[in-house]
PDB file of all heavy atoms in Angstrom:
ATOM      1  N   LYS A   1       0.870  -1.246   0.038  1.00  0.00           N
ATOM      2  CA  LYS A   1       0.025  -0.005  -0.026  1.00  0.00           C
ATOM      3  C   LYS A   1       0.844   1.241   0.042  1.00  0.00           C
ATOM      4  O   LYS A   1       0.631   2.219  -0.776  1.00  0.00           O
ATOM      5  CB  LYS A   1      -0.911  -0.023   1.212  1.00  0.00           C
ATOM      6  CG  LYS A   1      -2.057  -0.966   1.115  1.00  0.00           C
ATOM      7  CD  LYS A   1      -2.937  -0.860   2.357  1.00  0.00           C
ATOM      8  CE  LYS A   1      -3.978  -1.908   2.388  1.00  0.00           C
ATOM      9  NZ  LYS A   1      -4.682  -2.033   3.587  1.00  0.00           N
ATOM     10  N   LYS A   2       1.873   1.272   0.889  1.00  0.00           N
ATOM     11  CA  LYS A   2       2.837   2.393   0.942  1.00  0.00           C
ATOM     12  C   LYS A   2       3.539   2.576  -0.365  1.00  0.00           C
ATOM     13  O   LYS A   2       3.728   3.648  -0.881  1.00  0.00           O
ATOM     14  CB  LYS A   2       3.859   2.159   1.998  1.00  0.00           C
ATOM     15  CG  LYS A   2       3.365   2.525   3.364  1.00  0.00           C
ATOM     16  CD  LYS A   2       3.260   3.973   3.614  1.00  0.00           C
ATOM     17  CE  LYS A   2       4.100   4.420   4.747  1.00  0.00           C
ATOM     18  NZ  LYS A   2       4.049   5.811   5.002  1.00  0.00           N
ATOM     19  N   TYR A   3       3.981   1.380  -0.997  1.00  0.00           N
ATOM     20  CA  TYR A   3       4.658   1.444  -2.276  1.00  0.00           C
ATOM     21  C   TYR A   3       3.788   2.079  -3.334  1.00  0.00           C
ATOM     22  O   TYR A   3       4.218   2.945  -4.067  1.00  0.00           O
ATOM     23  CB  TYR A   3       5.139   0.046  -2.637  1.00  0.00           C
ATOM     24  CG  TYR A   3       5.503  -0.091  -4.094  1.00  0.00           C
ATOM     25  CD1 TYR A   3       6.701   0.403  -4.563  1.00  0.00           C
ATOM     26  CD2 TYR A   3       4.641  -0.649  -5.012  1.00  0.00           C
ATOM     27  CE1 TYR A   3       7.144   0.305  -5.891  1.00  0.00           C
ATOM     28  CE2 TYR A   3       5.016  -0.713  -6.360  1.00  0.00           C
ATOM     29  CZ  TYR A   3       6.248  -0.267  -6.750  1.00  0.00           C
ATOM     30  OH  TYR A   3       6.627  -0.330  -8.043  1.00  0.00           O
ATOM     31  N   ASP A   4       2.602   1.530  -3.412  1.00  0.00           N
ATOM     32  CA  ASP A   4       1.669   2.051  -4.528  1.00  0.00           C
ATOM     33  C   ASP A   4       1.402   3.572  -4.316  1.00  0.00           C
ATOM     34  O   ASP A   4       1.437   4.359  -5.313  1.00  0.00           O
ATOM     35  CB  ASP A   4       0.355   1.320  -4.448  1.00  0.00           C
ATOM     36  CG  ASP A   4       0.444  -0.144  -4.940  1.00  0.00           C
ATOM     37  OD1 ASP A   4       1.360  -0.392  -5.695  1.00  0.00           O
ATOM     38  OD2 ASP A   4      -0.341  -0.983  -4.518  1.00  0.00           O
ATOM     39  N   THR A   5       1.199   4.004  -3.051  1.00  0.00           N
ATOM     40  CA  THR A   5       0.931   5.433  -2.864  1.00  0.00           C
ATOM     41  C   THR A   5       2.165   6.236  -3.235  1.00  0.00           C
ATOM     42  O   THR A   5       2.006   7.266  -3.974  1.00  0.00           O
ATOM     43  CB  THR A   5       0.675   5.569  -1.316  1.00  0.00           C
ATOM     44  OG1 THR A   5      -0.455   4.787  -0.886  1.00  0.00           O
ATOM     45  CG2 THR A   5       0.380   7.112  -1.057  1.00  0.00           C
ATOM     46  N   LEU A   6       3.338   5.887  -2.805  1.00  0.00           N
ATOM     47  CA  LEU A   6       4.556   6.665  -3.099  1.00  0.00           C
ATOM     48  C   LEU A   6       4.910   6.589  -4.512  1.00  0.00           C
ATOM     49  O   LEU A   6       5.287   7.631  -5.187  1.00  0.00           O
ATOM     50  CB  LEU A   6       5.745   6.171  -2.251  1.00  0.00           C
ATOM     51  CG  LEU A   6       5.617   6.482  -0.736  1.00  0.00           C
ATOM     52  CD1 LEU A   6       6.726   5.777   0.077  1.00  0.00           C
ATOM     53  CD2 LEU A   6       5.671   7.947  -0.450  1.00  0.00           C
ATOM     54  N   PHE A   7       4.747   5.446  -5.190  1.00  0.00           N
ATOM     55  CA  PHE A   7       5.072   5.323  -6.530  1.00  0.00           C
ATOM     56  C   PHE A   7       4.154   6.152  -7.412  1.00  0.00           C
ATOM     57  O   PHE A   7       4.625   6.884  -8.302  1.00  0.00           O
ATOM     58  CB  PHE A   7       4.866   3.855  -6.972  1.00  0.00           C
ATOM     59  CG  PHE A   7       5.487   3.526  -8.337  1.00  0.00           C
ATOM     60  CD1 PHE A   7       6.889   3.277  -8.392  1.00  0.00           C
ATOM     61  CD2 PHE A   7       4.755   3.453  -9.419  1.00  0.00           C
ATOM     62  CE1 PHE A   7       7.422   2.997  -9.649  1.00  0.00           C
ATOM     63  CE2 PHE A   7       5.309   3.179 -10.687  1.00  0.00           C
ATOM     64  CZ  PHE A   7       6.679   2.908 -10.800  1.00  0.00           C
ATOM     65  N   GLU A   8       2.836   6.164  -7.175  1.00  0.00           N
ATOM     66  CA  GLU A   8       1.877   6.971  -7.928  1.00  0.00           C
ATOM     67  C   GLU A   8       2.043   8.427  -7.737  1.00  0.00           C
ATOM     68  O   GLU A   8       2.011   9.243  -8.614  1.00  0.00           O
ATOM     69  CB  GLU A   8       0.503   6.507  -7.572  1.00  0.00           C
ATOM     70  CG  GLU A   8       0.105   5.193  -8.101  1.00  0.00           C
ATOM     71  CD  GLU A   8       0.277   5.034  -9.675  1.00  0.00           C
ATOM     72  OE1 GLU A   8      -0.099   5.997 -10.400  1.00  0.00           O
ATOM     73  OE2 GLU A   8       0.759   4.032 -10.090  1.00  0.00           O
ATOM     74  N   ARG A   9       2.337   8.813  -6.496  1.00  0.00           N
ATOM     75  CA  ARG A   9       2.607  10.224  -6.110  1.00  0.00           C
ATOM     76  C   ARG A   9       3.812  10.728  -6.917  1.00  0.00           C
ATOM     77  O   ARG A   9       3.726  11.900  -7.457  1.00  0.00           O
ATOM     78  CB  ARG A   9       2.768  10.355  -4.609  1.00  0.00           C
ATOM     79  CG  ARG A   9       2.753  11.818  -4.138  1.00  0.00           C
ATOM     80  CD  ARG A   9       2.883  12.048  -2.687  1.00  0.00           C
ATOM     81  NE  ARG A   9       1.790  11.330  -2.012  1.00  0.00           N
ATOM     82  CZ  ARG A   9       1.882  10.838  -0.773  1.00  0.00           C
ATOM     83  NH1 ARG A   9       2.939  10.988  -0.065  1.00  0.00           N
ATOM     84  NH2 ARG A   9       0.770  10.265  -0.202  1.00  0.00           N
ATOM     85  N   ASN A  10       4.842   9.970  -6.958  1.00  0.00           N
ATOM     86  CA  ASN A  10       6.037  10.435  -7.671  1.00  0.00           C
ATOM     87  C   ASN A  10       5.858  10.391  -9.240  1.00  0.00           C
ATOM     88  O   ASN A  10       6.496  11.031  -9.964  1.00  0.00           O
ATOM     89  CB  ASN A  10       7.235   9.697  -7.291  1.00  0.00           C
ATOM     90  CG  ASN A  10       7.740  10.127  -5.858  1.00  0.00           C
ATOM     91  OD1 ASN A  10       7.998  11.340  -5.705  1.00  0.00           O
ATOM     92  ND2 ASN A  10       7.760   9.255  -4.900  1.00  0.00           N
ATOM     93  N   ALA A  11       4.955   9.528  -9.622  1.00  0.00           N
ATOM     94  CA  ALA A  11       4.670   9.431 -11.076  1.00  0.00           C
ATOM     95  C   ALA A  11       3.903  10.669 -11.557  1.00  0.00           C
ATOM     96  O   ALA A  11       4.175  11.183 -12.638  1.00  0.00           O
ATOM     97  CB  ALA A  11       3.923   8.134 -11.427  1.00  0.00           C
ATOM     98  N   LYS A  12       3.013  11.170 -10.719  1.00  0.00           N
ATOM     99  CA  LYS A  12       2.228  12.415 -11.002  1.00  0.00           C
ATOM    100  C   LYS A  12       3.109  13.600 -10.991  1.00  0.00           C
ATOM    101  O   LYS A  12       2.941  14.510 -11.800  1.00  0.00           O
ATOM    102  CB  LYS A  12       1.110  12.466 -10.033  1.00  0.00           C
ATOM    103  CG  LYS A  12       0.012  11.527 -10.179  1.00  0.00           C
ATOM    104  CD  LYS A  12      -1.103  11.713  -9.098  1.00  0.00           C
ATOM    105  CE  LYS A  12      -2.093  10.583  -9.184  1.00  0.00           C
ATOM    106  NZ  LYS A  12      -3.023  10.621  -8.017  1.00  0.00           N
ATOM    107  N   ASN A  13       3.975  13.714  -9.973  1.00  0.00           N
ATOM    108  CA  ASN A  13       4.772  14.862  -9.854  1.00  0.00           C
ATOM    109  C   ASN A  13       6.056  14.857 -10.727  1.00  0.00           C
ATOM    110  O   ASN A  13       6.731  15.910 -10.799  1.00  0.00           O
ATOM    111  CB  ASN A  13       5.237  15.128  -8.452  1.00  0.00           C
ATOM    112  CG  ASN A  13       4.043  15.424  -7.517  1.00  0.00           C
ATOM    113  OD1 ASN A  13       2.978  15.882  -7.987  1.00  0.00           O
ATOM    114  ND2 ASN A  13       4.163  15.154  -6.189  1.00  0.00           N
ATOM    115  N   GLY A  14       6.316  13.756 -11.374  1.00  0.00           N
ATOM    116  CA  GLY A  14       7.424  13.741 -12.364  1.00  0.00           C
ATOM    117  C   GLY A  14       8.740  13.501 -11.775  1.00  0.00           C
ATOM    118  O   GLY A  14       9.758  13.775 -12.410  1.00  0.00           O
ATOM    119  N   SER A  15       8.905  12.964 -10.570  1.00  0.00           N
ATOM    120  CA  SER A  15      10.200  12.736 -10.019  1.00  0.00           C
ATOM    121  C   SER A  15      10.600  11.286 -10.253  1.00  0.00           C
ATOM    122  O   SER A  15      10.313  10.346  -9.472  1.00  0.00           O
ATOM    123  CB  SER A  15      10.172  12.973  -8.405  1.00  0.00           C
ATOM    124  OG  SER A  15      11.446  12.684  -7.935  1.00  0.00           O
ATOM    125  N   PHE A  16      11.290  11.044 -11.339  1.00  0.00           N
ATOM    126  CA  PHE A  16      11.718   9.684 -11.762  1.00  0.00           C
ATOM    127  C   PHE A  16      12.766   9.173 -10.745  1.00  0.00           C
ATOM    128  O   PHE A  16      12.708   7.974 -10.455  1.00  0.00           O
ATOM    129  CB  PHE A  16      12.272   9.709 -13.146  1.00  0.00           C
ATOM    130  CG  PHE A  16      12.719   8.366 -13.615  1.00  0.00           C
ATOM    131  CD1 PHE A  16      11.763   7.380 -13.959  1.00  0.00           C
ATOM    132  CD2 PHE A  16      14.013   8.006 -13.714  1.00  0.00           C
ATOM    133  CE1 PHE A  16      12.119   6.136 -14.371  1.00  0.00           C
ATOM    134  CE2 PHE A  16      14.426   6.772 -14.047  1.00  0.00           C
ATOM    135  CZ  PHE A  16      13.445   5.871 -14.486  1.00  0.00           C
ATOM    136  N   TYR A  17      13.551   9.976 -10.216  1.00  0.00           N
ATOM    137  CA  TYR A  17      14.624   9.551  -9.271  1.00  0.00           C
ATOM    138  C   TYR A  17      13.944   8.988  -7.990  1.00  0.00           C
ATOM    139  O   TYR A  17      14.294   7.889  -7.594  1.00  0.00           O
ATOM    140  CB  TYR A  17      15.536  10.709  -8.870  1.00  0.00           C
ATOM    141  CG  TYR A  17      16.475  10.336  -7.775  1.00  0.00           C
ATOM    142  CD1 TYR A  17      17.602   9.534  -8.065  1.00  0.00           C
ATOM    143  CD2 TYR A  17      16.289  10.787  -6.489  1.00  0.00           C
ATOM    144  CE1 TYR A  17      18.477   9.250  -7.069  1.00  0.00           C
ATOM    145  CE2 TYR A  17      17.170  10.461  -5.523  1.00  0.00           C
ATOM    146  CZ  TYR A  17      18.231   9.727  -5.745  1.00  0.00           C
ATOM    147  OH  TYR A  17      19.156   9.365  -4.791  1.00  0.00           O
ATOM    148  N   LEU A  18      12.993   9.692  -7.456  1.00  0.00           N
ATOM    149  CA  LEU A  18      12.308   9.221  -6.227  1.00  0.00           C
ATOM    150  C   LEU A  18      11.482   7.968  -6.575  1.00  0.00           C
ATOM    151  O   LEU A  18      11.395   7.025  -5.748  1.00  0.00           O
ATOM    152  CB  LEU A  18      11.451  10.303  -5.603  1.00  0.00           C
ATOM    153  CG  LEU A  18      12.144  11.460  -4.989  1.00  0.00           C
ATOM    154  CD1 LEU A  18      11.266  12.578  -4.529  1.00  0.00           C
ATOM    155  CD2 LEU A  18      13.143  11.017  -3.870  1.00  0.00           C
ATOM    156  N   GLN A  19      10.834   8.007  -7.710  1.00  0.00           N
ATOM    157  CA  GLN A  19      10.083   6.807  -8.083  1.00  0.00           C
ATOM    158  C   GLN A  19      10.919   5.583  -8.206  1.00  0.00           C
ATOM    159  O   GLN A  19      10.590   4.498  -7.711  1.00  0.00           O
ATOM    160  CB  GLN A  19       9.389   7.158  -9.432  1.00  0.00           C
ATOM    161  CG  GLN A  19       8.346   6.191  -9.808  1.00  0.00           C
ATOM    162  CD  GLN A  19       7.649   6.565 -11.166  1.00  0.00           C
ATOM    163  OE1 GLN A  19       8.262   7.158 -11.980  1.00  0.00           O
ATOM    164  NE2 GLN A  19       6.442   6.071 -11.315  1.00  0.00           N
ATOM    165  N   SER A  20      12.107   5.712  -8.741  1.00  0.00           N
ATOM    166  CA  SER A  20      13.049   4.558  -8.937  1.00  0.00           C
ATOM    167  C   SER A  20      13.568   4.127  -7.538  1.00  0.00           C
ATOM    168  O   SER A  20      13.701   2.922  -7.270  1.00  0.00           O
ATOM    169  CB  SER A  20      14.187   4.929  -9.812  1.00  0.00           C
ATOM    170  OG  SER A  20      15.013   5.874  -9.306  1.00  0.00           O
ATOM    171  N   LYS A  21      13.768   5.050  -6.552  1.00  0.00           N
ATOM    172  CA  LYS A  21      14.187   4.706  -5.239  1.00  0.00           C
ATOM    173  C   LYS A  21      13.128   3.938  -4.513  1.00  0.00           C
ATOM    174  O   LYS A  21      13.384   2.933  -3.834  1.00  0.00           O
ATOM    175  CB  LYS A  21      14.507   6.007  -4.439  1.00  0.00           C
ATOM    176  CG  LYS A  21      15.871   6.576  -4.653  1.00  0.00           C
ATOM    177  CD  LYS A  21      16.941   5.697  -4.222  1.00  0.00           C
ATOM    178  CE  LYS A  21      18.062   6.427  -3.658  1.00  0.00           C
ATOM    179  NZ  LYS A  21      19.180   5.531  -3.258  1.00  0.00           N
ATOM    180  N   VAL A  22      11.853   4.307  -4.690  1.00  0.00           N
ATOM    181  CA  VAL A  22      10.754   3.618  -4.044  1.00  0.00           C
ATOM    182  C   VAL A  22      10.659   2.218  -4.682  1.00  0.00           C
ATOM    183  O   VAL A  22      10.471   1.258  -3.941  1.00  0.00           O
ATOM    184  CB  VAL A  22       9.433   4.401  -4.352  1.00  0.00           C
ATOM    185  CG1 VAL A  22       8.192   3.556  -3.903  1.00  0.00           C
ATOM    186  CG2 VAL A  22       9.440   5.680  -3.557  1.00  0.00           C
ATOM    187  N   HIS A  23      10.811   2.097  -5.964  1.00  0.00           N
ATOM    188  CA  HIS A  23      10.811   0.773  -6.645  1.00  0.00           C
ATOM    189  C   HIS A  23      11.951  -0.125  -6.168  1.00  0.00           C
ATOM    190  O   HIS A  23      11.700  -1.328  -5.821  1.00  0.00           O
ATOM    191  CB  HIS A  23      10.854   0.924  -8.133  1.00  0.00           C
ATOM    192  CG  HIS A  23      10.734  -0.390  -8.860  1.00  0.00           C
ATOM    193  ND1 HIS A  23       9.460  -1.005  -8.940  1.00  0.00           N
ATOM    194  CD2 HIS A  23      11.648  -1.110  -9.543  1.00  0.00           C
ATOM    195  CE1 HIS A  23       9.757  -2.095  -9.605  1.00  0.00           C
ATOM    196  NE2 HIS A  23      10.944  -2.182 -10.011  1.00  0.00           N
ATOM    197  N   ARG A  24      13.142   0.459  -6.025  1.00  0.00           N
ATOM    198  CA  ARG A  24      14.299  -0.385  -5.525  1.00  0.00           C
ATOM    199  C   ARG A  24      14.090  -0.743  -4.028  1.00  0.00           C
ATOM    200  O   ARG A  24      14.531  -1.854  -3.675  1.00  0.00           O
ATOM    201  CB  ARG A  24      15.585   0.425  -5.657  1.00  0.00           C
ATOM    202  CG  ARG A  24      15.981   0.750  -7.057  1.00  0.00           C
ATOM    203  CD  ARG A  24      16.385  -0.464  -7.849  1.00  0.00           C
ATOM    204  NE  ARG A  24      16.606  -0.117  -9.178  1.00  0.00           N
ATOM    205  CZ  ARG A  24      15.884  -0.594 -10.251  1.00  0.00           C
ATOM    206  NH1 ARG A  24      14.913  -1.499  -9.995  1.00  0.00           N
ATOM    207  NH2 ARG A  24      16.048  -0.287 -11.470  1.00  0.00           N
ATOM    208  N   ALA A  25      13.429   0.076  -3.305  1.00  0.00           N
ATOM    209  CA  ALA A  25      13.125  -0.301  -1.887  1.00  0.00           C
ATOM    210  C   ALA A  25      12.147  -1.467  -1.818  1.00  0.00           C
ATOM    211  O   ALA A  25      12.416  -2.405  -1.069  1.00  0.00           O
ATOM    212  CB  ALA A  25      12.537   0.956  -1.168  1.00  0.00           C
ATOM    213  N   LYS A  26      11.148  -1.476  -2.722  1.00  0.00           N
ATOM    214  CA  LYS A  26      10.286  -2.597  -2.646  1.00  0.00           C
ATOM    215  C   LYS A  26      10.984  -3.832  -3.199  1.00  0.00           C
ATOM    216  O   LYS A  26      10.791  -4.891  -2.547  1.00  0.00           O
ATOM    217  CB  LYS A  26       9.079  -2.303  -3.628  1.00  0.00           C
ATOM    218  CG  LYS A  26       8.059  -3.431  -3.724  1.00  0.00           C
ATOM    219  CD  LYS A  26       7.057  -3.341  -4.802  1.00  0.00           C
ATOM    220  CE  LYS A  26       7.711  -3.775  -6.103  1.00  0.00           C
ATOM    221  NZ  LYS A  26       7.151  -4.644  -6.977  1.00  0.00           N
ATOM    222  N   GLU A  27      11.771  -3.738  -4.155  1.00  0.00           N
ATOM    223  CA  GLU A  27      12.592  -4.965  -4.622  1.00  0.00           C
ATOM    224  C   GLU A  27      13.434  -5.445  -3.571  1.00  0.00           C
ATOM    225  O   GLU A  27      13.535  -6.681  -3.303  1.00  0.00           O
ATOM    226  CB  GLU A  27      13.419  -4.524  -5.838  1.00  0.00           C
ATOM    227  CG  GLU A  27      12.717  -4.380  -7.112  1.00  0.00           C
ATOM    228  CD  GLU A  27      13.609  -4.039  -8.263  1.00  0.00           C
ATOM    229  OE1 GLU A  27      14.746  -3.609  -8.024  1.00  0.00           O
ATOM    230  OE2 GLU A  27      13.159  -4.234  -9.424  1.00  0.00           O
ATOM    231  N   CYS A  28      14.070  -4.580  -2.729  1.00  0.00           N
ATOM    232  CA  CYS A  28      14.894  -5.017  -1.707  1.00  0.00           C
ATOM    233  C   CYS A  28      14.132  -5.758  -0.604  1.00  0.00           C
ATOM    234  O   CYS A  28      14.545  -6.830  -0.126  1.00  0.00           O
ATOM    235  CB  CYS A  28      15.653  -3.763  -1.058  1.00  0.00           C
ATOM    236  SG  CYS A  28      16.631  -4.177   0.325  1.00  0.00           S
ATOM    237  N   LEU A  29      12.953  -5.326  -0.256  1.00  0.00           N
ATOM    238  CA  LEU A  29      12.134  -5.876   0.757  1.00  0.00           C
ATOM    239  C   LEU A  29      11.414  -7.155   0.210  1.00  0.00           C
ATOM    240  O   LEU A  29      11.043  -8.014   1.076  1.00  0.00           O
ATOM    241  CB  LEU A  29      11.129  -4.887   1.314  1.00  0.00           C
ATOM    242  CG  LEU A  29      11.712  -3.805   2.085  1.00  0.00           C
ATOM    243  CD1 LEU A  29      10.570  -2.800   2.529  1.00  0.00           C
ATOM    244  CD2 LEU A  29      12.447  -4.258   3.241  1.00  0.00           C
ATOM    245  N   GLU A  30      11.330  -7.410  -1.023  1.00  0.00           N
ATOM    246  CA  GLU A  30      10.784  -8.597  -1.531  1.00  0.00           C
ATOM    247  C   GLU A  30      11.599  -9.842  -1.119  1.00  0.00           C
ATOM    248  O   GLU A  30      11.107 -10.900  -0.874  1.00  0.00           O
ATOM    249  CB  GLU A  30      10.741  -8.567  -3.108  1.00  0.00           C
ATOM    250  CG  GLU A  30       9.524  -7.770  -3.615  1.00  0.00           C
ATOM    251  CD  GLU A  30       9.533  -7.680  -5.111  1.00  0.00           C
ATOM    252  OE1 GLU A  30      10.537  -7.907  -5.729  1.00  0.00           O
ATOM    253  OE2 GLU A  30       8.521  -7.293  -5.646  1.00  0.00           O
ATOM    254  N   GLY A  31      12.919  -9.607  -0.926  1.00  0.00           N
ATOM    255  CA  GLY A  31      13.792 -10.736  -0.446  1.00  0.00           C
ATOM    256  C   GLY A  31      13.567 -11.030   0.967  1.00  0.00           C
ATOM    257  O   GLY A  31      13.796 -12.130   1.402  1.00  0.00           O
ATOM    258  N   VAL A  32      13.153 -10.080   1.778  1.00  0.00           N
ATOM    259  CA  VAL A  32      12.864 -10.257   3.185  1.00  0.00           C
ATOM    260  C   VAL A  32      11.518 -10.982   3.348  1.00  0.00           C
ATOM    261  O   VAL A  32      11.330 -11.725   4.354  1.00  0.00           O
ATOM    262  CB  VAL A  32      12.857  -8.936   3.911  1.00  0.00           C
ATOM    263  CG1 VAL A  32      12.579  -9.117   5.378  1.00  0.00           C
ATOM    264  CG2 VAL A  32      14.207  -8.258   3.725  1.00  0.00           C
TER     265      VAL A  32
END
């Protein structure tokens, strides 16, 4: 839920850097 919220919020505002950080954070936690 947090991932979806942050990913969509950064997609709307156009911050690709933050959007990619959010995505990498989710990928990292997928291993846990």
Side-chain angles (χ1 to χ4, degrees):
K1 285 179 189 174
K2 281 285 239 182
Y3 165 77
D4 289 336
T5 304
L6 290 171
F7 192 84
E8 289 302 317
R9 190 177 298 156
N10 286 301
K12 289 177 187 172
N13 295 337
S15 178
F16 181 73
Y17 174 75
L18 291 176
Q19 192 178 24
S20 66
K21 280 292 214 184
V22 168
H23 184 72
R24 296 289 171 245
K26 181 194 75 131
E27 284 181 340
C28 176
L29 291 178
E30 282 176 344
V32 179

